[in-house]
Structure formats: structure tokens, C-alpha cells
Amino acid sequence: MSEKWEFVQEIRTVLNRKWTGEYELSTQRSAAVKARGQARAMLAERVAARRAADKANEEDLAEFLRLQSELESFDGRHESAIAAAKQVYVDAVARAADEHKKAISDAKAAQAQCVRHMRDRGERVADIAALTGLSGIEIGRLTRSLPSLAPDDEQSPDDRSSSEGSIADC
């Protein structure tokens, strides 16, 4: 019976607390404490997540800034490579122009020498023009482009014949 009696006493105590409001206060207090604990836990999770996000943002920002400086160096290297390539191009064009001028000059001088040799052998300008397809005026220009050599003054007949033989296409 003592168990029954303890049970009854317990029920009386609970009913007295409820009737006086003491039971509700302790229940409310424990609920508030529990809610505060839950709030702290939720805020701690939020703070930890924010810290992790800030750390990841710091790493991403550092990488971004490193790549930004790398991009700037790429621009500088790109511009200097283009400038060097342009200079190589300009030099190549100048060299090609010089080679072209020299080749043209050499060929024109050789043509003029051939025309002079034909004239020295007694061919008329009209005949040379008919053979070469050039006009008489162009034949005259070619022969005037060579320095004048008087056969008797500067070359002996042997020298003239050897120079005539050196130009195979004439």
C-alpha cells in the first residue's frame, strides 16, 4: 500500500502545483531554456557556416587577384610579341624590296649589255626592237642606262670579245 500512498501523494503535489501555478512556471522555464539552447545551437551552426563561406571566399578572391595580375602580364607579353613580329615583317619586306630592286637592276643591266653588243655588231635599233619586242625608244633607254664605253679608248678588241662571250643569253 505504500506504493499507492506515494502515488497519491505525487498526484496531490502535481495538482497543488497546478492549482497554485507553480507547475506551469517550471514548465515554462524549462521550455524557455530549451528554446534558448536550440537558438544558440542554430546560431552557432549559422556562424560556423558563415566562417566556412568567408574562408572559401578569401581563397577564391586570392586566386582571382593572382589571375588578374597574370592576365596583365599576358597583355604585355602579347603586345611585345606583336611588336617583334611586326618588326620582323618590316625587315623582311625591306629585304625583299632590296632584293627585288637589285634583281631588276641586274637584269636590266644585262639586257642593256645584250642590246649594246648587238649594236656593236652592227644591228640597227629597228631590227633589235623587232627581235626583242621593245620599242625603239625603250632600246635607246636601255643603251643609255649603261656607262658609255668607247671601244678604242677603254677596251681592247680582245676585252670586248671576252665580255661579249660572258653573257650567255645575248
Side-chain angles (χ1 to χ4, degrees):
M1 252 195 28
S2 71
E3 286 181 30
K4 282 185 182 180
W5 181 251
E6 286 176 20
F7 180 69
V8 169
Q9 283 296 334
E10 216 176 293
I11 289 177
R12 270 190 194 162
T13 306
V14 169
L15 287 175
N16 278 339
R17 283 183 183 168
K18 243 186 171 339
W19 188 66
T20 60
E22 185 182 323
Y23 180 75
E24 289 178 12
L25 279 177
S26 67
T27 307
Q28 288 174 354
R29 279 188 195 135
S30 65
V33 169
K34 184 179 176 183
R36 213 174 283 121
Q38 287 175 336
R40 282 189 191 119
M42 290 171 67
L43 287 175
E45 286 177 22
R46 183 185 284 176
V47 167
R50 184 74 244 158
R51 282 185 184 147
D54 286 346
K55 183 173 169 64
N57 285 343
E58 179 184 350
E59 290 171 4
D60 286 339
L61 181 59
E63 180 65 8
F64 176 86
L65 293 174
R66 185 190 67 77
L67 290 170
Q68 184 65 32
S69 76
E70 198 171 309
L71 284 172
E72 291 167 3
S73 73
F74 288 160
D75 288 343
R77 285 187 286 186
H78 178 256
E79 289 172 7
S80 63
I82 287 175
K86 283 181 180 177
Q87 187 59 47
V88 167
Y89 173 77
V90 166
D91 293 345
V93 167
R95 231 179 359 266
D98 290 345
E99 290 171 6
H100 179 257
K101 283 180 187 177
K102 182 173 177 355
I104 296 250
S105 174
D106 291 349
K108 291 276 186 187
Q111 280 183 329
Q113 193 67 35
C114 291
V115 168
R116 176 173 279 171
H117 290 166
M118 287 190 258
R119 289 277 294 144
D120 287 347
R121 286 191 289 277
E123 294 294 327
R124 294 178 326 145
V125 172
D127 294 335
I128 295 171
L131 291 171
T132 61
L134 298 175
S135 69
I137 294 173
E138 291 171 318
I139 297 294
R141 281 189 193 138
L142 272 175
T143 55
R144 282 191 301 275
S145 69
L146 284 175
S148 64
L149 293 175
D152 296 334
D153 294 342
E154 297 188 22
Q155 279 188 333
S156 67
D158 293 335
D159 290 342
R160 251 186 305 147
S161 63
S162 67
S163 68
E164 288 173 11
S166 67
I167 300 177
D169 293 337
C170 296

